[in-house]
Amino acid sequence: MTGPEADELTVGDEVDVEVGPIAHGGHCVARHEGRVLFVRHTLPGERVRARITEGGPGDRFLRADAVEVLTASPDRVPVRCPVAGPGRCGGCDFQHVSTEHQRRLKADVVAEQLQRLAGIEREVLVEPLDDEDGLRYRTRVEFAVVDGRVGLRRHRSHEVVPVTGCPIAVPEIDEALVETLADVERTRGELDGISALDIVVPSAEADTVVVEVPTEEPTPPIAITERVATPAGERVLGVDARGFWQVHRDAPRAFVGAVLAAADVRPGERVLDLYSGVGLLSVPLAEAVGPDGQLIAVESDRRATEHLRDNLAATPQALVVCGRVDDLFGVPRRGRRRGPRRPARSDLLPPSADVVVLDPPRTGAGRGVVEALTSLRPRRLVYVACDPAALARDTGYLTGLGYDLTGLRALDAFPMTHHVECVATFEPKGEDARP
C-alpha cells in the first residue's frame, strides 16, 4: 500500500506498519519511515494498517488505530464486546488479546518502566484475580449522558457510544442499566441536567444503586456499605456511592492480603496509612498494630474522611487526619509558585514511623513527599501504585535516598484494560536497615 510521506501524515491517513513493543498506555510502538506511531488495537509482532487519529506534520509522534490486521499475532482473540475496537468505546484496550497474554504485556510495561525510570532490572509477574476470563468483574460503572444518549465515551473523546450493558461489569449493572433506560422510555422521562449515571453494586447490600449525577451541582452524598475480609474477620465499611472504592469485586481481598504481607506489621508499632480513602487498608492495619500501637490515617477528601472516622471507630489506637499529604508534610505543591517560606509541617504527624503505607493518586507521590517519608526512617515502606510510570519515578527517588526495592507484586485488577495495580515493598539499604 502506498501512502503519504512520513512527515506529511495527518488525521485520516492510513499506512501499513510493523508493530513493535507494548508501551505504557495501552498502545504499541510502530514506525513509518522513522516516524513514531502509537497504535491501539494491535499486538507486538503484527503487521497492520494503521489510521492516524491524532497528530500531524511537525508533531513528535502520532496516534493511530489498527483498522485492519494484515498479519495477526497468535495471541489475538475475537473481541468480547460489541462496541470494542477502533472508533468505538475507549474503556478497554485489550479486548482483542487473550487474558493470559494481557498479563504478560502488563508485566513487560512494569518491567520496562522500572528499568527506564529507576534503573532497576526486575522480572515481573502479573497475578490474576478471581474473575472469569477477565469478564464480569467490575462492580462500578459510570455511563455518560450526552444529548439524551446513555453510553460510554470513545477513546480520548467526549463523544458517547450508546450501550445497553458492559461485558466487564457484573450482571447486576447490565440489569440496572436496562431497567433505567426502560423507565426513561416508558415515562417519557428526561435526562436533562444529568451528566452521567453511576451504577454501583455494593458487596454488603442486596440492592443495586443508580446515581443520577447532576451536570451543574454537586452530587448529594449517598452512603453504601462494602464488605472486606481481614485477618481479624470480615468487616463492613461505609463509603459514598461515588467515592473511591476498588472496582474489581475481588480487589479488596487481594489488596488487603498483599499489603499486610508486605508491611509485616508488628503489635505495638506506629504505622502511617497515607491517601487512605475510607480505610480499606487502615482498618486491618489498625487491627495489626493492636491496642498498644498507633495507626495514623491521612485522607484529603472530606466525605471520605467522614466514612474513614466511622470505619475506624472501633479501633481507638487509630488517628484520622484530614488533609493533603504534601501539605501536612510541609512539601510545596507541584505547579504552585513557592513563596519565601515552605509550608509548615503539621504537628499531627509523628517524627518517626515503623511502617509507612501509601496509595497515592495516578501521578504518584513525588520527590518532596518521598523525601519526607524517608526522613521518618521506617523499617518498611509499602507503596500501592495504579500507574507503573509513577511507581518507577518514585522508586528512583527512594533508591537514591537509601531504600531498596525488596518486593513487588503486580495484580490484574483491571482485565481488558492496560491498567495494573502494583504493591511494592522498600526497606533501608545495608547498614541503615532496622531490626
Side-chain angles (χ1 to χ4, degrees), residues 57-106:
D59 288 333
R60 190 162 53 91
F61 62 85
L62 303 171
R63 298 184 185 274
D65 283 345
V67 295
E68 183 179 350
V69 179
L70 306 175
T71 304
S73 164
D75 296 300
R76 178 176 283 273
V77 298
V79 297
R80 287 146 283 190
C81 175
V83 295
R88 298 177 182 176
C89 172
C92 290
D93 313 287
F94 292 151
Q95 282 277 347
H96 61 288
V97 188
S98 70
T99 50
E100 181 181 357
H101 195 63
Q102 289 178 33
R103 294 192 286 271
R104 288 199 294 269
L105 293 177
K106 296 178 187 186

Side-chain angles (χ1 to χ4, degrees), residues 396-415:
Y397 302 146
L398 282 161
T399 57
L401 291 165
Y403 278 75
D404 276 333
L405 175 64
T406 58
L408 178 66
R409 292 180 64 183
L411 304 173
D412 195 13
F414 308 93

Side-chain angles (χ1 to χ4, degrees), residues 388-430:
L391 172 62
R393 284 193 297 271
D394 287 343
T395 296
Y397 302 146
L398 282 161
T399 57
L401 291 165
Y403 278 75
D404 276 333
L405 175 64
T406 58
L408 178 66
R409 292 180 64 183
L411 304 173
D412 195 13
F414 308 93
M416 302 298 163
T417 80
H418 73 273
H419 299 291
V420 60
E421 201 87 12
C422 294
V423 177
T425 308
F426 298 88
E427 296 177 86
K429 298 179 181 180

Side-chain angles (χ1 to χ4, degrees), residues 32 44 72 88 93 96 177 216 235 309 311 315 335 361 374 389 409 430:
H32 175 66
R88 298 177 182 176
D93 313 287
H96 61 288
L177 178 62
E216 297 181 353
R235 298 290 180 261
R309 288 197 174 98
N311 294 333
T315 50
T374 56
R409 292 180 64 183

Side-chain angles (χ1 to χ4, degrees), residues 187-430:
T187 62
R188 300 185 181 276
E190 297 288 342
L191 292 173
D192 293 343
I194 303 300
S195 64
L197 293 173
D198 279 11
I199 303 182
V200 182
V201 182
S203 58
E205 300 182 16
D207 294 332
T208 300
V209 178
V210 180
V211 182
E212 295 184 351
V213 181
T215 302
E216 297 181 353
E217 58 188 45
T219 308
I222 301 175
I224 61 172
T225 51
E226 297 281 1
R227 184 180 293 111
V228 60
T230 77
E234 187 176 86
R235 298 290 180 261
V236 173
L237 305 185
V239 60
D240 192 79
R242 298 200 71 228
F244 179 77
W245 187 260
Q246 292 294 336
V247 299
H248 195 298
R249 65 171 186 263
D250 190 40
R253 176 205 60 81
F255 289 5
V256 167
V259 169
L260 289 182
D264 189 26
V265 174
R266 303 163 188 170
E269 288 192 314
R270 175 186 288 151
V271 177
L272 267 62
D273 181 21
L274 308 178
Y275 315 93
S276 58
V278 301
L280 171 63
L281 302 176
S282 303
V283 169
L285 288 169
E287 294 170 344
V289 301
D292 296 327
Q294 185 182 39
L295 182 283
I296 302 172
V298 177
E299 171 56 41
S300 62
D301 183 85
R302 293 196 175 277
R303 197 176 291 182
T305 303
E306 292 173 3
H307 287 290
L308 177 62
R309 288 197 174 98
D310 290 341
N311 294 333
L312 287 169
T315 50
Q317 64 270 30
L319 170 67
V320 174
V321 180
C322 183
R324 287 175 53 116
V325 171
D326 48 3
D327 288 349
L328 293 168
F329 274 104
V331 176
R333 295 190 190 183
R334 299 174 186 176
R336 173 181 289 182
R337 179 179 297 176
R338 299 190 181 193
R341 292 171 29 182
R342 294 171 61 90
R345 188 184 190 278
S346 172
D347 292 336
L348 294 174
L349 297 184
S352 64
D354 298 293
V355 176
V356 173
V357 176
L358 67 157
D359 186 359
R362 192 167 300 281
T363 52
R367 182 189 294 273
V369 169
V370 168
E371 290 175 349
L373 299 184
T374 56
S375 72
L376 302 175
R377 302 311 301 163
R379 65 171 181 84
R380 193 161 292 189
L381 189 149
V382 180
Y383 190 128
V384 183
C386 61
D387 185 272
L391 172 62
R393 284 193 297 271
D394 287 343
T395 296
Y397 302 146
L398 282 161
T399 57
L401 291 165
Y403 278 75
D404 276 333
L405 175 64
T406 58
L408 178 66
R409 292 180 64 183
L411 304 173
D412 195 13
F414 308 93
M416 302 298 163
T417 80
H418 73 273
H419 299 291
V420 60
E421 201 87 12
C422 294
V423 177
T425 308
F426 298 88
E427 296 177 86
K429 298 179 181 180

